[in-house]
Amino acid sequence: MAEMNTGTTVYKLYAAGVYEGMIRFTDGAIMHAKVDSRRRTQMQENVLAETAGYILPLHKIKGNQSDYAAAEWQGDSVTLGNGDLYQKHIQYTGEVAGKKVVSQVWALRKDTALDIVTVDGCVVAFVAPNRYGMEVLVVDGYEAVTPLVEYADTSLSAPRYGVNDLGTDLVPMRDGIRLATDVYLPEGVAPGTKLPTILIRTCYDRNLRKTFFMRWANKGYAVVNQDVRGRADSEGELVPFFYERDDSADTIDWIVAQGWSDGNVGMWGASYLGYVVTAASTSGHPNLKAVVNEVNVGSPFVDTVRKGGTVCSWPLLCWTLAQSVGTRTDFDIFGGRTVSPEKAVDARPIREIPQQMIGRASGPWDMWSEHPEYDDFWRNCTFSERGAYVKAPMFVISGWYDGDSAGVSETWRMLTKHDVPHRKIWLGPWEHGPNRARDLLDTSFGNDAVVYNYDVNVLRWFDRFLKGIANGIEQEPRARYYVVGTNEWRVSEDWTPSEATATQWFLGSGGRANSSLGDGVLTLGSEAEVRDDVPHGRSESDSYVYNPEEPVADSGEREPENMRRHELRSDILVYTSEVLAEAVTVAGELSCELYASSSGVDTDWVVTLSDVDPKGNSIKLSNYIVRAKYRGGLDAPELLTPDGIEKYDIFMQNIAHTFAVGHRLRFTVTSSSKMIAFPNTNTGLDPYTDPRPIVVTQRIYHSEAYPSHVKLPILA
């Protein structure tokens, strides 16, 4: 094998198991001999195009060549000259040039995964796992000792074909609006062959991920890639959520009428696209046979626009503003680079924030402000109201740090309630961009937190339900999940795990649970055990003053944020368990039952579960926010009677987490999180009119009559 950085080492590049051409690093450039996408012809070598669109950071690899070559790849970990930390991971055994070879995979820590494979101390491959298809750059001949073997399963659809891009059709919907729709067919199938189809419908321009989606065509699928209405080249106006169910059904009608269709349609989607596929499943279309749903956005009153009935702030604003500057998404706005998140959430009046931030009104923002209460407009957007129509097997993928995990839970509850056959869920220690890294803030996971078979399992799902390939995926356990803390993958026959035991942890105090310096306690028990001789018998309630003009300003992200400094505030009630003598593993869907009163006629409640280590760091695990007026249902808003005690059943985002020996569980209650939702003014008036805020006194009860508690599923 030639020395690296000499310009003579030739690598082969694979994406989702599809050979994409040869790469060679020279002193001045990255040379690329690409493969023609249609004929699969090996082209001549040229300088890599800036628009090549690979996820592998080829320029970074080129810049680090000397560091890779100089490293001594031995021991349990290696720190490169540039500071990159690699840990010994797994090994592969395979045949190279007729000889048995054992390779070593090294996992990159503290950064987006760019793993390295070595043989006898020499680098032979680079690996970039991702949701769209793992990419591998490998020295020619060493494929068999890299994660590429994940694609070697003989039951898996193989990349036998080129891709015939048929161009763009304008497909009419039932109201006459035409949507820009591309079709990619496998090149090389026999004439007249009928094909199963994978449909993607996107708000981010169908050209953005085009090359990724084409790789399903390499594997024998027709692929249909469409802009949703009002985006990119599609006609109409973007009204987020509202048309996705019907437009999906109309597009499936069009697909099954095409001469190349065998009538079997699957859909893939992530984030907003995940909402699209979930909504599509509720159409009950008989030709929709399989759905893969990753990190899906939930219905507007659950996850996105009006989370828990509140008015969402930055998570909604960044997306909406980015969609409102034109028909194509401005990702600099979306990423908070050209619009300040802090300025945006503090701007008033709420209705005119788009004008202040991007200099123009936003159609979606205006539309939502015209519907301040849950009405037929919102009902049409709530996919879970139509769960009885879902028939297609759905594969749900998300993680503990997915900002839209409330939507994922909504989806899973819907599938479970209606016992949708062959539903499956996969939950990792992942962010909204799943399977990306092994560390997040100060929380570290095992090297196996990033998996090499992510997109393989997506393909297996489509193979099973669109092609009828008997690969057994539907016979595998329904739930696969990663336990943070013990850092291990587990499986169960359901989610919440069927082997979990529901437990209740009761709030209690001596009447001064304000801040982490107070006397709030969290006690494991049962309602029958709420007696005077346990801590929650000492006082019946705790109170705090909520001023909407002094809101809590945590990150607003679903991440393992250290809440320690926020928990010093007197307007946060803090309930902490005793130090654990034995580890406690919580896995599944969480909730709490809160008995509370407010001196106002409306307010918000923010609840959080965290893990407190011996140093006092309080790492956020799960939280949610709800508006009091919707306690009886979204369609039954009712203002509070000031100081009247009400019961709140509050959903909390799912987790799988082990609280270690010496740690403590902590549950907090407050009334604001301004980076999630605009602070409730406590007036009960239309929030979009910016009524003058009122300061209120809040009270949480924990007596025998009003036993506030957290419900946690615990594994033995």
Side-chain angles (χ1 to χ4, degrees):
M1 184 169 51
E3 288 291 329
M4 299 174 66
N5 82 355
T6 63
T8 60
T9 300
V10 176
Y11 296 92
K12 297 180 79 171
L13 194 157
Y14 295 84
V18 180
Y19 175 57
E20 296 284 2
M22 293 185 289
I23 294 288
R24 186 170 61 87
F25 300 107
T26 71
D27 290 339
I30 301 174
M31 306 304 294
H32 183 206
K34 69 178 182 178
V35 173
D36 175 73
S37 62
R38 182 169 184 179
R39 301 298 185 192
R40 304 301 296 161
T41 306
Q42 178 76 64
M43 309 297 284
Q44 294 299 309
E45 186 178 69
N46 284 288
V47 175
L48 180 74
E50 291 293 330
T51 57
Y54 297 119
I55 288 174
L56 268 164
L58 295 171
H59 289 281
K60 176 181 178 179
I61 294 171
K62 177 181 183 298
N64 290 341
Q65 289 285 292
S66 60
D67 292 314
Y68 301 137
E72 293 188 17
W73 297 97
Q74 56 187 348
D76 292 328
S77 65
V78 177
T79 301
L80 303 188
N82 63 5
D84 284 352
L85 172 63
Y86 280 88
Q87 290 182 348
K88 182 179 287 186
H89 189 19
I90 59 175
Q91 294 182 330
Y92 289 101
T93 300
E95 190 173 289
V96 176
K99 296 182 180 180
K100 180 180 177 181
V101 170
V102 178
S103 70
Q104 179 62 57
V105 181
W106 300 84
L108 180 61
R109 305 299 310 218
K110 308 293 184 182
D111 203 349
T112 299
L114 174 60
D115 296 348
I116 283 176
V117 183
T118 60
V119 172
D120 296 331
C122 292
V123 175
V124 300
F126 301 89
V127 183
N130 69 91
R131 67 150 57 111
Y132 297 108
M134 177 173 61
E135 295 187 359
V136 179
L137 188 68
V138 56
V139 175
D140 191 9
Y142 283 83
E143 288 88 343
V145 291
T146 75
L148 274 172
V149 299
E150 296 289 347
Y151 298 95
D153 182 348
T154 56
S155 71
L156 202 64
S157 287
R160 298 188 179 96
Y161 308 101
V163 181
N164 182 9
D165 185 346
L166 298 188
T168 304
D169 282 301
L170 289 176
V171 175
M173 300 294 101
R174 64 190 64 181
D175 60 356
I177 295 296
R178 299 180 303 168
L179 305 187
T181 307
D182 291 350
V183 177
Y184 321 129
L185 297 182
E187 176 75 8
V189 297
T193 299
K194 302 289 187 179
L195 300 163
T197 302
I198 299 174
L199 168 64
I200 305 99
R201 305 188 60 249
T202 180
C203 61
Y204 299 119
D205 188 338
R206 70 196 187 285
N207 293 300
L208 183 64
R209 307 292 186 194
K210 179 176 182 175
T211 56
F212 301 149
F213 302 143
M214 281 181 165
R215 290 167 190 147
W216 281 317
N218 290 124
K219 297 164 186 175
Y221 288 92
V223 179
V224 175
N225 186 13
Q226 182 183 75
D227 294 323
V228 302
R229 68 170 61 205
R231 306 308 298 152
D233 297 313
S234 285
E235 297 175 348
E237 176 186 359
L238 174 67
V239 182
F241 312 106
F242 192 79
Y243 293 103
E244 306 303 2
R245 180 182 64 256
D246 291 345
D247 285 354
S248 295
D250 292 350
T251 303
I252 295 172
D253 282 343
W254 179 83
I255 289 171
V256 300
Q258 304 307 302
W260 40 259
S261 170
D262 72 356
N264 294 306
V265 179
M267 292 188 74
W268 176 92
S271 194
Y272 184 82
L273 286 65
Y275 172 89
V276 170
V277 301
T278 307
S281 73
T282 68
S283 72
H285 199 293
N287 295 91
L288 181 59
K289 301 297 179 63
V291 174
V292 175
N293 170 6
E294 302 182 16
V295 297
N296 75 282
V297 165
S299 298
F301 261 73
V302 173
D303 179 37
T304 46
V305 184
R306 300 291 304 277
K307 184 191 295 281
T310 66
V311 178
C312 288
S313 54
W314 181 245
L316 174 67
L317 268 172
C318 67
W319 185 86
T320 309
L321 298 178
Q323 305 296 333
S324 299
V325 293
T327 60
R328 286 174 167 80
T329 306
D330 186 329
F331 288 97
D332 286 329
I333 294 176
F334 200 178
R337 292 181 286 273
T338 51
V339 170
S340 163
E342 292 76 15
K343 288 182 179 179
V345 301
D346 287 340
R348 296 294 185 276
I350 289 176
R351 172 129 189 196
E352 296 178 10
I353 291 176
Q355 289 90 328
Q356 296 181 46
M357 295 297 109
I358 61 173
R360 62 190 298 172
S362 162
W365 198 258
D366 288 344
M367 174 76 71
W368 296 327
S369 68
E370 292 165 5
H371 295 271
E373 296 295 350
Y374 190 80
D375 55 16
D376 286 342
F377 170 81
W378 296 112
R379 189 170 285 106
N380 186 67
C381 302
T382 302
F383 59 70
S384 50
E385 291 207 2
R386 292 175 172 78
Y389 295 97
V390 180
K391 306 301 179 188
M394 188 180 295
F395 189 6
V396 179
I397 306 174
S398 181
W400 316 133
Y401 311 108
D402 171 17
D404 287 306
S405 63
V408 173
S409 289
E410 179 192 14
T411 301
W412 191 251
R413 289 195 303 270
M414 174 183 73
L415 299 178
T416 300
K417 176 181 178 181
H418 297 285
D419 196 21
V420 175
H422 302 311
R423 61 188 181 275
K424 185 179 291 291
I425 192 164
W426 194 9
L427 299 164
W430 299 330
E431 302 168 80
H432 195 58
N435 202 37
R436 189 191 67 83
R438 301 174 171 97
D439 305 270
L440 182 57
L441 299 183
D442 294 325
T443 298
S444 294
F445 319 114
N447 289 329
D448 62 350
V450 172
V451 301
Y452 298 139
N453 63 350
Y454 187 99
D455 62 296
V456 166
N457 278 310
V458 170
L459 180 59
R460 290 178 69 216
W461 194 256
F462 287 134
D463 280 353
R464 172 65 185 86
F465 294 108
L466 297 183
K467 290 186 176 181
I469 296 174
N471 55 30
I473 191 169
E474 82 283 6
Q475 298 168 9
E476 295 169 3
R478 176 167 286 163
R480 179 173 175 81
Y481 62 98
Y482 193 88
V483 182
V484 177
T486 51
N487 289 347
E488 61 180 346
W489 287 101
R490 294 191 183 186
V491 295
S492 176
E493 292 308 315
D494 209 348
W495 183 258
T496 294
S498 53
E499 58 272 21
T501 300
T503 64
Q504 297 174 324
W505 295 69
F506 288 88
L507 281 55
S509 77
R512 297 179 302 279
N514 309 76
S515 87
S516 56
L517 304 177
D519 61 9
V521 296
L522 191 64
T523 304
L524 176 62
S526 66
E527 287 191 49
E529 295 170 342
V530 180
R531 304 185 304 266
D532 291 339
D533 61 347
V534 293
H536 42 267
R538 294 200 301 261
S539 175
E540 292 195 345
S541 66
D542 295 291
S543 67
Y544 62 94
V545 174
Y546 163 48
N547 183 350
E549 296 186 309
E550 297 178 0
V552 176
D554 56 329
S555 72
E557 300 290 339
R558 178 138 203 230
E559 60 187 11
E561 178 182 6
N562 192 342
M563 301 297 288
R564 184 173 185 168
R565 65 184 178 89
H566 299 295
E567 290 168 356
L568 293 172
R569 294 175 58 126
S570 63
D571 59 355
I572 298 183
L573 300 182
V574 179
Y575 302 92
T576 310
S577 76
E578 294 181 349
V579 174
L580 296 174
E582 297 180 353
V584 172
T585 298
V586 177
E589 301 287 341
L590 318 182
S591 65
C592 70
E593 188 174 296
L594 213 60
Y595 293 87
S597 67
S598 173
S599 63
V601 295
D602 192 21
T603 197
D604 291 344
W605 304 109
V606 181
V607 293
T608 303
L609 179 72
S610 61
D611 181 340
V612 182
D613 69 17
K615 296 181 179 179
N617 297 304
S618 181
I619 306 304
K620 178 173 66 180
L621 303 177
S622 172
N623 67 339
Y624 199 61
I625 185 170
V626 295
R627 184 141 294 184
K629 68 187 291 185
Y630 298 110
R631 64 196 179 278
L634 297 177
D635 54 356
E638 182 182 3
L639 294 179
L640 299 171
T641 299
D643 298 318
I645 302 174
E646 299 285 352
K647 175 184 173 181
Y648 300 88
D649 290 306
I650 302 176
F651 150 88
M652 297 177 68
Q653 298 176 104
N654 57 16
I655 62 171
H657 180 87
T658 295
F659 294 82
V661 172
H663 286 224
R664 294 176 291 163
L665 287 74
R666 175 168 289 169
F667 179 76
T668 65
V669 184
T670 189
S671 291
S672 61
S673 178
K674 78 170 185 176
M675 299 307 292
I676 294 177
F678 294 103
N680 195 324
T681 59
N682 304 315
T683 62
L685 301 175
D686 179 355
Y688 290 99
T689 65
D690 295 288
R692 186 175 181 82
I694 295 174
V695 177
V696 294
T697 298
Q698 317 282 61
R699 189 170 292 275
I700 300 298
Y701 297 82
H702 40 73
S703 64
E704 186 171 357
Y706 302 113
S708 294
H709 59 275
V710 191
K711 302 174 183 178
L712 303 179
I714 292 182
L715 296 177

